Amino acid sequence: MKQESVLVCGTGIAGLACALGLSRAGLSVALLGPRRIPPVRVADDYHPRVYAISGASHSLLDRLGAWRLMDARRITPVEAMEIHGDADGLLDLSAWQDARETLAWIVESGEIERALQQAVQVMGIAWHEDQFVSLESSAHGVRVTTAQGQRFHPALLVGADGARSPVRVAAGIRHDYTPYGDMGVVAHLDIEWPHQNRACQWFTGDSVFALLPMPDTADGPQASLVWSMPEDRAREWLAMDADAQQAYLASHALSITGARLGRLRLRTRPQGFPLTLERSAMVAPGVALVGDAAHRVHPLAGQGLNLGLGDVQDLIQILGAREPHHGPGDARVLARYRRRRAEPVLAMGLVTHGLHRLFGAQCAPLAWARNQGMQVADRLPFLKRQLIRAAAGDN
Ligand SMILES: Cc1cc2nc3c(=O)[nH]c(=O)nc-3n(C[C@H](O)[C@H](O)[C@H](O)COP(=O)(O)OP(=O)(O)OC[C@H]3O[C@@H](n4cnc5c(N)ncnc54)[C@H](O)[C@@H]3O)c2cc1C
């Protein structure tokens, strides 16, 4: 591997997008990580994970040539969002209120990965199917050793290796970790009434129940559930057999949603993910982190991956615009990256954590205030436009 080069460790969405973007910016890039080709899903079989992709992430994926490689029939534009408080609070955000057509797009994780993998192949980016094990810093970058004993000497190592990031650990990058004690449980559902491209979310006090619009199936309209709930209850639900899981959903969903979308029926088995708030210092000599390796936020705003793609966009821009005498791993260049990401990462952490705490608080005056606050916000067009822009990932 050449000296003036970047090694991207991690081959999830953040790593693939980062390698593509840096390669398109003219850097010599290689990928290190497993090559898992997502199975092609056809007709009514959908990948179990879906993401709400913001306008900024949509633009990045488009510039990287990945958006057009995805099957448009499997992507659902979100045109409106309704957020219900735990009493009578309701915030109704529609794209037209800010003169736009779409707030976000619901896309399968496997579709994004498949499209990015194809684009990586088209760009001819080297892909080492191996695992990062350790690193040593040197005067001209870092020395990386892999599980199969390969050695690399990149000027910059990008850690896109997920929440447990071995790169972050090996580089000694400071990292704060707060478990929520909650799990995010996801599943696809048959719903009784058409969703009309609306995402709906209910704060129930100790859980957040979200339904994201998905393409109709032969059985009728479909939505994807993201239900953040206390971990013990989630584990209990996940351990049940299929009939008991359905009965559990039916008994809770009716009271939470007030039958907003009619009866809900599980199409897929629920899967749970422990939820954490995590933040890191993002860089070390010759190392930069992107995606979940750098931070994690509560999924109630559906912004974790969008935040990671924001890292990728900023890293591409900063490395592409660096002075010719600065290498990609230069400390001044990496400091610019850290400074650029500090505010958006902090802001997203504060917003998601703040909402989680505000709606989790049991005290009566707070419960009154949060629902009143939603009613007031719903009647203020200026504030609503700001909220729409935030929900769409513009700021
Ligand atoms: C319930 C839930 C719902 C969510 N919904 C949304 C949403 O709607 N919108 C949104 O924007 N975000 C959402 N998120 C967040 C989103 O899931 C993550 O932010 C995103 O998946 C992180 O992607 P990543 O590429 O950074 O990490 P990962 O997907 O974890 O990828 C890490 C990669 O690194 C590789 N790796 C690990 N160790 C090594 C090693 N030693 N050597 C080489 N490679 C290695 C792994 O194999 C993997 O390929 C949600 C999260 C949860 C829990």
Side-chain angles (χ1 to χ4, degrees):
M1 170 166 272
K2 289 193 288 180
Q3 286 279 312
E4 182 80 350
S5 61
V6 182
L7 182 66
V8 178
C9 172
T11 44
I13 295 173
L16 291 166
C18 192
L20 258 177
L22 294 177
S23 172
R24 291 173 81 104
L27 284 108
S28 130
V29 183
L31 275 162
L32 171 64
R35 192 195 295 262
R36 269 191 289 270
I37 300 170
V40 177
R41 309 248 170 190
V42 287
D44 291 348
D45 176 24
Y46 283 83
H47 192 279
R49 295 296 304 268
V50 296
Y51 297 126
I53 293 295
S54 68
S57 297
H58 169 274
S59 304
L60 174 66
L61 293 170
D62 196 29
R63 279 195 301 281
L64 297 178
W67 193 264
R68 70 204 69 156
L69 295 174
M70 293 190 247
D71 183 347
R73 290 165 303 184
R74 302 179 73 86
I75 299 176
T76 313
V78 180
E79 291 164 11
M81 215 175 254
E82 54 183 64
I83 303 159
H84 299 256
D86 49 343
D88 50 0
L90 172 65
L91 197 51
D92 197 333
L93 305 176
S94 294
W96 64 264
Q97 291 162 342
D98 191 41
R100 59 174 78 213
E101 285 178 9
T102 310
L103 294 176
W105 291 261
I106 307 300
V107 192
E108 293 158 277
S109 166
E111 268 291 288
I112 308 178
E113 279 177 58
R114 192 186 51 73
L116 285 169
Q117 288 183 4
Q118 269 182 30
V120 158
Q121 203 175 356
V122 169
M123 288 294 288
I125 296 172
W127 186 327
H128 305 282
E129 292 180 51
D130 200 347
Q131 292 254 310
F132 167 91
V133 171
S134 65
L135 69 82
E136 288 162 50
S137 288
S138 80
H140 303 289
V142 291
R143 288 181 197 282
V144 170
T145 307
T146 70
Q148 293 168 17
Q150 297 190 74
R151 289 175 75 84
F152 298 97
H153 190 188
L156 173 66
L157 172 66
V158 177
D161 48 348
R164 302 283 55 83
S165 180
V167 168
R168 184 184 66 220
V169 174
I173 297 178
R174 208 201 69 236
H175 172 241
D176 303 322
Y177 171 100
T178 314
Y180 278 108
D182 284 353
M183 268 191 148
V185 182
V186 299
H188 299 329
L189 311 178
D190 287 323
I191 55 178
E192 197 176 1
W193 314 123
H195 51 59
Q196 297 176 315
N197 293 61
R198 282 184 160 254
C200 300
Q201 189 168 38
W202 289 265
F203 287 87
T204 73
D206 65 350
S207 80
V208 188
F209 189 96
L211 293 175
L212 308 176
M214 293 266 291
D216 290 354
T217 69
D219 301 320
Q222 182 189 202
S224 184
L225 168 70
V226 185
W227 193 359
S228 310
M229 59 161 89
E231 193 160 345
D232 49 348
R233 266 174 45 204
R235 291 202 184 282
E236 218 176 286
W237 187 33
L238 294 171
M240 293 175 188
D241 64 34
D243 288 344
Q245 282 182 336
Q246 174 57 39
Y248 184 94
L249 174 71
S251 70
H252 288 79
L254 196 63
S255 62
I256 294 174
T257 68
R260 172 73 183 78
L261 293 168
R263 276 189 304 275
L264 308 181
R265 171 155 285 283
L266 286 166
R267 289 185 68 79
T268 58
R269 265 191 93 80
Q271 293 186 9
F273 301 87
L275 304 182
T276 53
L277 176 68
E278 300 183 40
R279 217 171 292 156
S280 76
M282 296 203 67
V283 300
V287 180
L289 303 179
V290 297
D292 274 19
H295 41 67
R296 279 187 99 204
V297 293
H298 196 287
L300 62 82
Q303 292 294 341
L305 178 63
N306 292 315
L307 197 59
L309 290 175
D311 301 338
V312 169
Q313 172 57 41
D314 281 344
L315 190 63
I316 297 167
Q317 200 276 324
I318 286 168
L319 292 189
R322 75 190 192 281
E323 301 79 357
H325 56 282
H326 285 155
D330 188 285
R332 277 154 294 193
V333 176
L334 295 184
R336 274 177 219 153
Y337 170 64
R338 182 170 49 75
R339 281 197 300 274
R340 179 84 64 87
R341 293 312 294 158
E343 198 254 308
V345 171
L346 180 68
M348 188 59 72
L350 288 175
V351 167
T352 51
H353 191 59
L355 281 173
H356 177 259
R357 290 189 58 148
L358 177 65
F359 280 92
Q362 299 301 321
C363 106
L366 256 186
W368 178 84
R370 65 196 171 217
N371 287 289
Q372 278 301 109
M374 292 176 85
Q375 302 271 17
V376 171
D378 200 51
R379 290 194 291 268
L380 295 176
F382 172 75
L383 182 58
K384 278 178 89 163
R385 279 200 297 278
Q386 299 306 314
L387 290 169
I388 289 168
R389 287 171 197 171
D394 295 359
N395 48 27

